[in-house]
């Protein structure tokens, strides 16, 4: 049990821990709810690790498109592992405590992987643009060295964008009677609203991070596909147009799977405070759990080279 009344008269207070919550109003059936959550986490980790192994062990997939897909899979593994321990602890064991510092660490990694995912999707749209608009120079433009630098830039961007966030929260005075979070993980908009101090700087910086990452990335992805569509419409043969667009279907689906929940979460936290807590919880889970589950399914179903290489690798494993 966390102390609360004894801290009322202290001028500066940071809680030793926060209390997390699973799905508000459905606490009585958390055991049953844990079954689909466990299944989704298993699918996310298995599917993304399988894609990583497939690309790594199949020389024919050592191409820019599949390197970027590996980055996406690795990011999804990180995003899944960021929320899995606390979510399953709440649902399985009703263990709801998370230390203040541990909460800030989880929040940093959770949002960092989210920014990385947005950046990787942007890089993949650039990859599709180069492949369709300049196929003869595709391999010369996207060399291994260039892809490695893009990967480093993506990680640096996420780290630098999110690095100030925990420190901006540590300076705040928190309310002793507001230690109950709205999720089974530490989410920046949720944590900062537990403070009893002015959070204007935190709100503005959070908005800056969203706009400068997911906001800009989504606009550049739209621009990439506008240029891709312009190039495709210039192709003489309808068959060539369909073939060119087919190479983009998996990426387009991955973009929708990621950005639609991002927009939903942002809108609800800005304008939907009057909505029931269960809506906030479900939209947050949709944002953090669903993309890592669906991405490997999308790419294994829609990408024939990935599907065939995956099946071949699994057959070799079963025979050995």
């Amino acid at each position: 049990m966390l102390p609360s009344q004894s801290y009322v008269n202290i001028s500066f207070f940071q809680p030793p821990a926060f209390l997390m919550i699973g799905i508000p109003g459905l606490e009585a059936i958390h055991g049953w709810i844990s079954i689909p959550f466990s299944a989704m986490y298993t699918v996310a980790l298995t599917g993304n690790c399988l894609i990583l192994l497939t690309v790594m062990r199949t020389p024919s997939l050592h191409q820019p498109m599949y390197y970027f897909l590996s980055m996406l899979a690795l990011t999804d593994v990180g995003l899944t592992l960021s929320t899995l321990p606390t979510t399953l602890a709440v649902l399985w064991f009703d263990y709801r405590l998370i230390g203040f510092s541990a909460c800030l660490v989880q929040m940093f990694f959770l949002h960092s992987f989210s920014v990385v995912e947005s950046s990787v999707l942007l890089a993949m749209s650039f990859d599709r643009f180069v492949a369709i608009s300049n196929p003869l120079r595709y391999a010369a433009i996207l060399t291994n060295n260039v892809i490695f630098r893009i990967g480093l830039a993506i990680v640096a961007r996420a780290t630098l964008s999110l690095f100030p966030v925990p420190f901006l929260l540590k300076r705040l005075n928190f309310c002793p009677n507001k230690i109950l979070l709205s999720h089974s993980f530490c989410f920046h908009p949720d944590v900062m609203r537990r403070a009893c101090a002015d959070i204007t700087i935190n709100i503005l910086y959070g908005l800056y991070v969203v706009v400068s990452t997911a906001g800009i990335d989504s606009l550049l992805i739209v621009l990439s596909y506008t240029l891709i569509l312009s190039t495709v419409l210039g192709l003489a043969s309808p068959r060539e147009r369909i073939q060119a667009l087919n190479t983009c279907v998996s990426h387009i689906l991955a973009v929708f799977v990621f950005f639609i929940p991002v927009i939903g979460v942002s809108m609800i936290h800005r304008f939907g405070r009057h909505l029931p807590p269960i809506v906030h919880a479900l939209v947050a889970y949709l944002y953090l759990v669903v993309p890592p589950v669906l991405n490997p399914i999308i790419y294994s179903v829609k990408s024939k080279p990935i599907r065939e290489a995956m099946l071949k690798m699994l057959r070799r494993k079963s025979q050995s």
Side-chain angles (χ1 to χ4, degrees):
M1 176 134 181
L2 288 174
S4 58
Q5 299 299 323
S6 59
Y7 288 98
V8 170
N9 295 322
I10 296 177
S11 59
F12 185 81
F13 172 72
Q14 283 183 347
F18 287 110
L19 275 173
M20 301 174 291
I21 194 167
I23 299 182
L26 301 178
E27 289 85 357
I29 57 169
H30 272 178
W32 291 105
I33 294 171
S34 70
I35 296 172
F37 270 88
S38 300
M40 285 191 290
Y41 280 129
T42 302
V43 169
L45 291 174
T46 305
N48 286 295
C49 288
L50 200 53
I51 284 179
L52 285 167
L53 283 172
T54 302
V55 173
M56 196 182 344
R57 295 185 178 183
T58 310
S60 62
L61 297 181
H62 293 175
Q63 301 174 34
M65 176 183 178
Y66 302 110
Y67 288 144
F68 286 123
L69 177 57
S70 297
M71 289 183 197
L72 185 66
L74 190 60
T75 304
D76 281 337
V77 169
L79 195 57
T80 300
L81 292 176
S82 296
T83 61
L84 183 150
T86 52
T87 299
L88 293 186
V90 170
L91 295 178
W92 280 355
F93 310 112
D94 196 33
Y95 185 81
R96 299 166 59 198
L97 280 178
I98 182 168
F100 183 75
S101 297
C103 180
L104 296 186
V105 170
Q106 183 188 45
M107 185 190 65
F108 172 79
F109 281 106
L110 186 156
H111 289 290
S112 293
F113 281 118
S114 183
V115 171
V116 169
E117 181 135 351
S118 173
S119 304
V120 170
L121 289 170
L122 173 59
M124 293 173 85
S125 72
F126 174 69
D127 167 77
R128 291 299 82 212
F129 169 66
V130 174
I132 290 171
S133 64
N134 205 343
L136 296 178
R137 298 195 62 234
Y138 175 59
I141 294 171
L142 288 172
T143 61
N144 289 347
N145 190 36
V146 168
I147 293 167
F148 179 72
R149 289 183 180 183
I150 290 172
L152 281 181
I154 287 171
V155 173
R157 180 199 195 197
T159 304
L160 292 174
S161 295
L162 273 302
F163 187 74
V165 172
F167 297 100
L168 289 174
L169 285 170
K170 280 183 76 71
R171 71 184 179 85
L172 295 176
N173 182 27
F174 285 82
C175 301
N177 60 344
K178 289 172 69 178
I179 58 169
L180 181 63
L181 300 177
S182 305
H183 308 290
S184 59
F185 45 80
C186 293
F187 199 53
H188 179 247
D190 188 27
V191 174
M192 72 178 178
R193 296 193 190 284
R194 309 276 86 77
C196 288
D198 182 10
I199 57 171
T200 304
I201 293 174
N202 301 74
I203 292 171
L204 290 176
Y205 189 77
L207 185 62
Y208 161 74
V209 171
V210 171
V211 171
S212 65
T213 55
I216 289 176
D217 291 350
S218 58
L219 290 176
L220 292 175
I221 288 170
V222 170
L223 176 62
S224 294
Y225 274 101
T226 303
L227 296 173
I228 286 170
L229 196 57
S230 172
T231 304
V232 168
L233 292 175
L235 297 174
S237 164
R239 186 179 176 183
E240 287 179 338
R241 293 175 191 171
I242 292 170
Q243 285 177 338
L245 289 175
N246 274 341
T247 64
C248 302
V249 171
S250 300
H251 178 254
I252 292 170
L253 291 174
V255 167
F256 282 131
V257 162
F258 177 75
F259 280 102
I260 290 175
V262 165
I263 294 167
V265 165
S266 300
M267 298 301 282
I268 279 180
H269 273 281
R270 296 289 184 278
F271 310 111
R273 292 182 209 172
H274 62 285
L275 293 172
I278 191 170
V279 175
H280 288 259
L282 292 176
V283 172
Y285 287 125
L286 186 68
Y287 160 54
L288 292 168
V289 179
V290 172
V293 172
L294 290 184
N295 284 338
I297 295 173
I298 289 168
Y299 276 94
S300 59
V301 170
K302 297 298 296 180
S303 175
K304 188 179 177 182
I306 285 286
R307 185 172 65 252
E308 289 179 347
M310 204 178 282
L311 290 171
K312 192 181 292 183
M313 188 181 74
L314 291 173
R315 280 194 212 104
R316 282 203 303 266
K317 285 283 183 186
S318 62
Q319 287 169 3
S320 62

